[in-house]
């Protein structure tokens, strides 16, 4: 038997094994702790910060839009929206979250996933992807209640546009849409995201003033450094650079007049597929009312238009999204005779003393065969006409001769006609601050060669002079020519925005009248044309409609629809009226266009009613 | 006469060991407070239910510790057998009627009303006492039959716990056995053989693991492979610890902790909270406290009046050392995550009460009257 002492000494010593094991173990732990905290500590500190710090953009409130008297036309309304921050979704369990969110929203998980995917992942995963806007209060409360089960889901208060006037101002104001590459083009889209602090969940002005004045209305977003918890919810705000709110716009439009004009036009356009009315101040280019019918409700876009609604708008044969006032191209017909008259007077082709006998037709020599003649017809045999009478009666023969001449009379010729047409603003955009403006078309020798592969014939010159040619103009261009006639030769750029105010309502920028050019025509010639237009309205059919005590000048026209526009409207006519008042001191000009109708019977009476309303609107305090 | 004996026993108690335990428990309460802190406006001190519950468990644990300090060795030996059998019964019961968290389908708890009771924790102490009986001998070398019986006595509860499943705690039982066998004087050749046998058994053990246990072990090798799944907490723990730096971010100031990027941060990952908020300094303080306590327990082994007491202390030291190192190693991402709580620190009543009771048993060992000396 071994004595216990020896055994004790050896075996008892084994507690040291455990001591040494314990010390070694804690030394290894200390080494690893040192490595993590001291050696690699800085890197981990940065990584931890990235874990919970987010730089967010603070959207600025969008500027409001007022009419010329300070009445609100576009404002902001708060809406709740729910969005998903892809970075905060638990990887591999996205569908679980989609499913739960879909359950609370009453849709299916696929729809949620699609909404997230639709916005793309190309941008940073910390930007929220909007899943749905316009949440009702109950849904918001439910989402907040379940937020712990919904990592990556955030509820935001957003601002949406609200347009109290709806369709009446839809074309002017336009609307905003979610920013996208399709909307802006790839380059512009990337530029705004990278340089202008747009985020992929932002909305941008997509049409009308909302688009043109995006820079003013938007303001400049601030930035906010926030701390978020593991579900992506903001826990506290660490620093904020406040946003600069958008500027407000004050329009030249008078809301009440715009309403009245829209109502009148709607009432009187009858079965016309489209109609336009333009009311302007001829002395500075301010647009007082600008109506294009049919219209649409731009509030639909603000609250997130559905695919069906958008499809219906796009498929509507009346093309309600199309702003005919600035984008519609129509032959102005007899209204162009005013240009011919002015050109002839200025070029000395005609004078107040010029008298031409109208037999109801004009025989002109054929370009192809000098031995044969072509007969150009007129509506009636007007007898002997001077310029004022010719304008009043819209005598074709008179203007055929002024334009094309004949053996006994030297006309202007195509070049000079075209030059004056251009000087008066045909064939170029007026430069109004509205979207989708068209330049129109002034036919020339070169244009005809290119477009029709055909020579310019003398017949083309006659047709142009009398307003029967290929010339196309927008209602706004026609209105602007009338303004120049009314004010004696100054061509203004039409304006929709009068003032830009900062968010506190202080005047930032007064938009002064912008003169496009002084048309080089003597004052007397303008006056003579004004007399012709005044005389035009002095007919039994219209006399009763003229406002009392005010001399009105105007010219209507009835134009056969271009052959290309389809069989349905074959033989039907488009109607124009353009005019101003008072003749001696013009305050307001009115231009009306009806896509179907008669100049004298339809357009003129309607325009005169609008004119009367406009004059009284101007007098209102 | 009896009174003087009692007074003498009070003097024998290791007050430093108890003080270390008390400091660790208070340290733990502070960390649980921070880990479960939810700011409520207007209230200066928001004690979460976790802190309150843990404080109650600590009070119960210290009370039990005090009561056990003065029991006689006879009673301990009796308790060793009764406790071991009771533990086996409870471990079987937990598999039958127990419940647990549904995530992994584990059944670890029996609901005792006032606390959800986890029988595998006191089973560790019961095993230590029982193994001390089995391994106690006066031969120069540990007789092989004792070795065999002790292994069997360990494997049965370890297997039951493994079935719950709770890999970590069953490993703790094996570690306890290993430590105690070493102290009991197992010959070095046999020890080497056991080591080889253990290595040989590893593949079998591997295939005995559940999928989640296997993936946890694997993920430890490459946590980046599943940053939002199994690897998530490992990465977040490393980030928490690493970002703490030398002095830490301050109590309640750890953004990883306070923003809940860490999971189970009041339990298995409480060390990450400590390292983030109190930094290297705070973590080293914990290491020192734990190491001192373990050394103090080993000191009790040396001072025990007989082999039984020595083995009890050795078993407790093995248990505390293994649990501490495996938990801290997992937090520091040098060991796989096995779900072992950090002794005295992690939130959890069964473990805290068991550990304090173990210290109580050690006090009893230290304070036995001299008739048991040899």
């Amino acid at each position: 038997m071994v004595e216990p002492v020896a055994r004790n000494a050896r075996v008892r010593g084994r507690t040291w094994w455990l001591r040494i094991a314990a010390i070694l173990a804690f030394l290894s732990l200390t080494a690893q702790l040192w490595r993590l905290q001291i050696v690699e500590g800085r890197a981990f500190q940065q990584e931890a910060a990235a874990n919970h710090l987010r730089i967010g953009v603070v959207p600025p409130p969008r500027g409001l839009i007022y009419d010329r008297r300070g009445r609100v036309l576009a404002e902001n309304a708060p809406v709740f929206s729910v969005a998903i921050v892809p970075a905060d979704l638990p990887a591999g369990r996205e569908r679980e979250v989609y499913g739960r969110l879909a359950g609370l929203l009453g849709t299916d998980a696929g729809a949620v996933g699609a909404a997230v995917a639709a916005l793309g992942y190309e941008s940073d995963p910390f930007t929220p992807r909007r899943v749905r806007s316009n949440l009702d209060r109950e849904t918001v409360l439910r989402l907040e209640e379940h937020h712990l089960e919904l990592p990556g889901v955030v509820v935001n208060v957003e601002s949406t546009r609200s347009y109290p006037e709806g369709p009446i101002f839809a074309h002017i104001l336009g609307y905003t849409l979610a920013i996208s590459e399709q909307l802006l083009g790839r380059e512009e889209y990337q530029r705004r995201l990278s340089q202008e602090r747009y985020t992929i969940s932002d909305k941008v002005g997509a049409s009308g003033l909302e688009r043109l004045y995006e820079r003013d209305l938007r303001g400049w977003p601030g930035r906010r450094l926030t701390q978020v918890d593991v579900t992506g919810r903001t826990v506290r705000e660490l620093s904020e650079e406040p946003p600069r709110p958008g500027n407000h716009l004050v329009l030249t439009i008078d809301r009440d007049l715009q309403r009245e004009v829209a109502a009148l036009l709607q009432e009187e356009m009858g079965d016309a597929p489209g109609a336009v009315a333009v009311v302007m101040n001829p002395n500075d280019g301010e647009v007082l009312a600008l109506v294009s019918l049919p219209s649409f409700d731009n509030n639909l876009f603000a609250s997130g238009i559905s695919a069906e609604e958008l499809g219906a708008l796009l498929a509507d044969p009346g093309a309600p999204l199309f702003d005919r006032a600035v984008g519609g191209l129509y032959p102005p017909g007899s209204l162009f005779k005013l240009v011919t008259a002015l050109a002839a007077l200025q070029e000395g082709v005609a004078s107040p003393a010029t008298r031409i006998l109208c037999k109801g037709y004009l025989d002109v020599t054929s370009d192809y065969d000098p031995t044969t003649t072509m007969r150009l017809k007129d509506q009636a045999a007007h007898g002997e006409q001077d310029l004022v009478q010719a304008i009043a009666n819209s005598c074709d023969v008179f203007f055929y001769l002024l334009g094309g001449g004949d053996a006994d009379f030297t006309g202007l010729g195509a070049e000079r006609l075209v030059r004056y047409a251009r000087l008066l603003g045909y064939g170029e955009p007026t430069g109004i601050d509205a979207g989708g403006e068209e330049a129109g078309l002034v036919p020339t020798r070169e244009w005809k060669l290119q477009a029709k592969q055909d020579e310019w014939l003398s017949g083309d010159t006659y047709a142009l002079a009398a307003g029967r040619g290929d010339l196309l103009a927008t209602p706004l261009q026609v209105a602007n020519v009338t303004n120049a006639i009314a004010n004696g030769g100054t061509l203004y750029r039409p304006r929709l925005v009068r003032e830009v105010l900062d968010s506190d309502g202080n005047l930032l920028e007064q938009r002064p009248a912008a003169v496009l050019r002084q048309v080089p025509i003597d004052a007397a010639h303008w006056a003579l044309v004004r007399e012709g237009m005044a005389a035009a309205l002095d007919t039994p059919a219209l006399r009763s409609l003229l406002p009392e005590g005010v001399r009105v000048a105007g010219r209507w026209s009835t134009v056969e629809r271009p052959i290309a526009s389809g069989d349905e409207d074959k033989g039907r006519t488009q109607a124009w009226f353009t005019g101003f008042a008072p003749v001696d001191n013009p305050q307001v000009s009115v231009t009306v266009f009806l896509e179907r109708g008669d100049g004298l019977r339809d357009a003129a009476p309607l325009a005169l009613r609008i004119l009367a309303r406009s004059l009284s609107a101007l007098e209102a305090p | 006469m009896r009174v003087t004996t009692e007074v003498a026993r009070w003097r024998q108690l290791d007050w430093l060991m108890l003080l270390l335990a008390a400091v660790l428990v208070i340290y733990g309460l502070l960390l649980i407070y921070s880990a479960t802190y939810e700011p409520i406006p207007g209230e200066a001190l928001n004690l979460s239910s976790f802190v309150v519950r843990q404080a109650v468990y600590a009070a119960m644990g210290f009370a039990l510790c005090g009561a056990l300090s003065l029991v006689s060795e006879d009673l301990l030996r009796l308790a060793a057998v009764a406790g071991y059998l009771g533990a086996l019964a409870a471990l079987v019961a937990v598999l039958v009627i127990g419940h647990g968290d549904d995530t992994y389908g584990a059944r670890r708890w029996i609901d005792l009303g006032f606390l959800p009771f986890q029988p595998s924790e006191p089973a560790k102490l019961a095993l230590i006492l029982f193994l001390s009986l089995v391994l106690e001998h006066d031969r120069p070398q540990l007789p092989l039959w004792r070795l065999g019986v002790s292994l069997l006595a360990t494997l049965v509860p370890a297997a039951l716990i493994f079935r719950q499943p709770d890999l970590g705690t069953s490993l703790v039982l094996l570690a306890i056995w290993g430590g105690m066998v070493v102290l009991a004087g197992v010959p070095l050749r046999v020890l080497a053989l056991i080591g080889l046998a253990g290595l040989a058994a590893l593949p079998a053990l591997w295939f005995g693991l559940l999928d989640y246990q296997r993936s946890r072990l694997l993920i430890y090798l490459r946590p980046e492979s599943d940053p939002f799944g199994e690897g998530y907490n490992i990465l977040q723990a490393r980030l928490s610890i690493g970002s703490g730096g030398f002095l830490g971010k301050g109590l309640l100031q750890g953004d990883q902790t306070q923003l809940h990027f860490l999971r189970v941060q009041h339990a298995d990952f409480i060390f990450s909270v400590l390292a983030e908020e109190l930094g290297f300094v705070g973590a080293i303080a914990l290491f020192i406290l734990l190491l001192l306590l373990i050394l103090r327990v080993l000191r009790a082994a040396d001072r025990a009046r007989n082999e039984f007491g020595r083995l009890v202390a050795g078993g407790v030291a093995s248990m505390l050392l293994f649990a501490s190192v495996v938990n801290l190693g997992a937090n520091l991402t040098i060991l796989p995550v096995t779900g072992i709580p950090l002794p005295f620190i992690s939130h959890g009543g069964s473990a805290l009460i068991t550990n304090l009771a173990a210290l109580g048993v050690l006090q009893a060992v230290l304070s036995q009257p001299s008739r048991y000396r040899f």
Side-chain angles (χ1 to χ4, degrees), chain A residues 127-138:
Chain A
T127 305
R129 269 71 165 160
R130 198 184 294 109
V131 174
R132 187 185 289 179
S133 296
N134 283 325
L135 297 178
D136 56 66
R137 202 165 176 75
E138 231 167 88

Side-chain angles (χ1 to χ4, degrees), chain A residues 1-2 4 7-8 10-19 21-23 25-26 28-30 32-38 40-49 51-52 54 87 89-93 227-231 235-236, chain B residues 137-140 182-186 188 191 228 232 236 238-239 241-246 249 255-256 259-261 271 275 279-280 283-284 287 290-291 294-295 298-299 301-302 304 307 310 314 318 321 324-325 328-329 332-334:
Chain A
M1 185 169 170
V2 182
R7 182 197 97 86
N8 277 351
R10 227 179 39 248
V11 176
R12 277 190 169 264
R14 287 198 174 176
T15 49
W16 278 102
W17 293 22
L18 286 182
R19 282 194 179 89
I23 291 166
F26 275 97
S28 337
L29 292 173
T30 304
Q32 170 72 351
L33 186 68
W34 178 271
R35 187 171 82 83
L36 289 182
Q37 292 199 301
I38 310 299
E40 297 173 9
R42 190 151 296 278
F44 280 119
Q45 275 160 27
Q46 284 168 2
E47 206 183 317
N51 223 353
H52 58 86
R54 298 285 157 78
L89 285 172
R93 296 197 291 123
Q227 200 172 31
V228 297
D229 70 6
V230 67
T231 63
V235 178
R236 76 181 74 108
Chain B
H137 66 102
D138 54 4
R139 303 289 171 82
V182 168
L183 284 199
V186 67
L188 286 178
L191 198 63
F228 293 104
Y232 175 84
Q236 293 295 344
R238 189 152 72 187
L239 206 48
I241 295 171
S243 65
F246 190 70
K249 301 171 187 171
D255 12 58
Q256 286 284 109
L259 303 172
H260 306 290
F261 281 93
F271 175 73
F280 187 75
I284 288 296
F287 287 3
L290 281 172
L291 184 60
I294 289 165
L295 294 179
L298 287 170
R299 173 180 170 272
D302 283 347
E307 187 67 6
R310 178 170 169 271
S318 304
L321 176 60
S324 303
V325 170
L328 295 172
L332 288 164
T333 67
I334 49 175

Side-chain angles (χ1 to χ4, degrees), chain A residues 303-341:
Chain A
S303 55
I305 191 165
S306 70
E308 298 90 72
E309 288 170 319
L310 185 59
L313 278 177
L314 289 173
D316 190 324
L321 294 177
F322 176 45
D323 186 354
R324 292 165 162 80
V326 298
L329 290 177
Y330 310 99
S334 301
L335 302 187
F336 191 77
K337 289 171 182 159
L338 304 172
V339 177
T340 309

Side-chain angles (χ1 to χ4, degrees), chain A residues 489-575:
Chain A
T490 308
L491 199 65
Y492 288 100
R493 172 186 299 147
R495 286 176 301 144
L496 285 171
V497 175
R498 256 189 140 186
E499 291 167 354
V500 179
L501 309 179
D502 72 11
S503 57
D504 297 325
N506 305 312
L507 185 64
L508 275 185
E509 192 187 341
Q510 182 105 41
R511 303 229 150 191
V515 176
L516 288 174
R517 71 179 72 91
Q518 287 293 336
V519 184
I521 293 175
D522 298 346
H525 305 328
W526 297 107
L528 197 66
V529 170
R530 284 199 291 269
E531 284 309 315
M533 290 172 77
L537 301 189
D538 191 19
T539 73
L542 298 178
R543 216 168 279 144
S544 62
L545 295 169
L546 294 175
E548 207 129 315
V550 184
R551 274 189 84 209
V552 183
R555 178 68 258 171
W556 70 87
S557 129
T558 305
V559 187
E560 277 190 33
R561 290 179 62 92
I563 293 156
S565 72
D567 292 336
E568 188 202 335
D569 283 316
K570 201 162 188 177
R572 303 209 191 203
T573 54
Q574 296 179 337

